[in-house]
Amino acid sequence: MKKLFAILLALVMVFSFAACGEKKETGNEPQTPVKDSIVIGCEQEPYSLSPIESTGAPSARIRRLICQGLFEIDEKGNYIPLLATEWTWKDDVTLEFKLREGVKFTDGKEFKAADVAWSMKNALGRGGIFDNYVKDTTIVDDHTIDINFLAPNSVCFDFFTSQHFPIY
């Protein structure tokens, strides 16, 4: 009986020491994050990150992290300036935006009225919301742009938020 007990004890010790051995990688372990990477979790893969190719919620959520619009609307309906610092209706069909100075894109290029004009030109003619309202744009100076509408319409003002008109 003592011999059986000694053998069992020896086996328990062997397996105990084996469990303390070096961990072997199986290839299923989580990878160490790479420096300068970003991980974004969302419920669905975005269709596109292009501001003009997709209006789906997953794309819009990620796009809002990448691009800004001229202003935002808060939960109380107030207009919050972003890339535009102020705006004025010059007449019934012309909305003038004064643009924030000192803003740079991630490549270091300065943000100017030409970027707003390019973004609008790229949005027009694709069957989106701007085709029904916007005629064209006029660059007044580097930090002022006029949006010229097809007809008087105050509702379309809200379309210049980050959600609908991200500048890129």
Side-chain angles (χ1 to χ4, degrees):
M1 182 75 159
K2 283 184 180 182
K3 222 179 201 181
L4 182 59
F5 180 75
I7 292 174
L8 285 175
L9 184 60
L11 285 173
V12 168
M13 289 173 54
V14 167
F15 288 117
S16 296
F17 288 127
C20 295
E22 185 177 324
K23 179 182 175 187
K24 294 185 180 180
E25 295 187 25
T26 63
N28 295 329
E29 293 81 13
Q31 295 182 358
T32 305
V34 177
K35 184 180 178 186
D36 299 328
S37 67
I38 184 169
V39 177
I40 299 173
C42 55
E43 74 280 2
Q44 183 179 16
E45 185 172 328
Y47 171 75
S48 171
L49 295 181
S50 170
I52 58 171
E53 289 181 7
S54 176
T55 57
S59 298
R61 284 188 196 102
I62 294 174
R63 194 171 48 243
R64 290 179 77 181
L65 298 171
I66 300 169
C67 304
Q68 282 192 335
L70 298 176
F71 58 85
E72 282 294 341
I73 303 172
D74 70 12
E75 64 278 351
K76 294 181 182 176
N78 300 313
Y79 295 104
I80 310 299
L82 289 178
L83 294 176
T85 57
E86 55 186 275
W87 41 87
T88 309
W89 284 98
K90 291 172 76 173
D91 57 45
D92 288 347
V93 293
T94 308
L95 180 58
E96 181 177 82
F97 286 100
K98 298 285 186 183
L99 304 176
R100 189 172 305 281
E101 296 185 33
V103 175
K104 295 190 185 283
F105 287 97
T106 55
D107 65 359
K109 182 179 152 249
E110 184 182 355
F111 165 66
K112 295 184 179 182
D115 300 307
V116 178
W118 185 88
S119 294
M120 179 55 71
K121 181 180 177 183
N122 204 26
L124 288 171
R126 296 180 175 268
I129 57 174
F130 292 108
D131 289 341
N132 297 323
Y133 303 105
V134 177
K135 178 181 175 186
D136 59 19
T137 61
T138 304
I139 298 172
V140 178
D141 61 42
D142 278 350
H143 293 96
T144 309
I145 189 165
D146 291 344
I147 307 290
N148 305 302
F149 295 91
L150 297 169
N153 187 329
S154 62
V155 175
C156 60
F157 182 73
D158 290 356
F159 295 158
F160 294 95
T161 61
S162 296
Q163 170 107 12
H164 299 291
F165 188 59
I167 307 301
Y168 56 101

